[in-house]
Amino acid sequence: TQVKRVLIFDWDVHHGQGTQQIFEHSSDVLVVSVHRHDGKHFYPATGSATEVGLGSGKGFTVNVALPMGFGDAALWSACSQVLLPACESFGPDLILVSAGFDAASGDPIGGCTVSPGTYGLLTKELRRLSRQHAEGRIIFALEGG
């Protein structure tokens, strides 16, 4: 089966502005980024909820901006209330995960409190989604933190 529709889920503490810029005009790639955001000081200060894609890609960029210190409940809620319904609606053929772990408790730059257990639960849920929608095709890429 050919891959035509790709879901990119970025759970790194920093907004995936490069990924967003590459695909913001595409309706074949759904980019969902869950990240810390204050709009001013926390790098890269992009990724507000109003950034939704451009042209034919409008609506295929989803930014979930979370406050400093977010933890398990906020990340899990963003996934269950935003990522899962978006995935169901989009129906990807492949899921890519930009897996930075700098939102984890103890990271001195991220300033958040996500536990290893929550990353494990998200991984399990993403694998389930890949089996349901993408014939099990999923790639986790370690990045940044």
Side-chain angles (χ1 to χ4, degrees):
T1 305
Q2 219 176 17
V3 172
K4 295 180 181 177
R5 297 170 66 80
V6 177
L7 166 64
I8 300 174
F9 176 52
D10 186 337
W11 74 33
D12 188 87
V13 77
H14 298 96
H15 175 238
Q17 80 276 20
T19 303
Q20 178 176 309
Q21 288 173 353
I22 291 167
F23 297 109
E24 65 189 351
H25 291 278
S26 176
S27 60
D28 296 323
V29 178
L30 174 64
V31 177
V32 179
S33 180
V34 178
H35 51 272
R36 179 178 154 188
H37 177 74
D38 65 9
K40 296 177 188 173
H41 306 290
F42 192 72
Y43 181 81
T46 57
S48 72
T50 60
E51 296 174 34
V52 296
L54 301 170
S56 62
K58 190 171 186 177
F60 293 89
T61 296
V62 180
N63 284 297
V64 181
L66 298 174
M68 178 177 167
F70 76 83
D72 295 339
L75 183 56
W76 185 256
S77 292
C79 292
S80 66
Q81 295 175 20
V82 178
L83 175 66
L84 270 61
C87 182
E88 297 288 337
S89 175
F90 183 68
D93 300 312
L94 171 67
I95 298 174
L96 300 175
V97 183
S98 292
F101 292 92
D102 44 2
S105 294
D107 184 276
I109 296 172
C112 297
T113 59
V114 178
S115 70
T118 294
Y119 286 119
L121 290 172
L122 288 176
T123 298
K124 193 175 201 178
E125 186 62 19
L126 287 161
R127 291 183 66 218
R128 182 194 67 77
L129 286 172
S130 76
R131 288 189 300 274
Q132 182 179 350
H133 295 285
E135 298 178 17
R137 290 181 290 229
I138 187 166
I139 298 169
F140 289 83
L142 179 62
E143 63 166 42

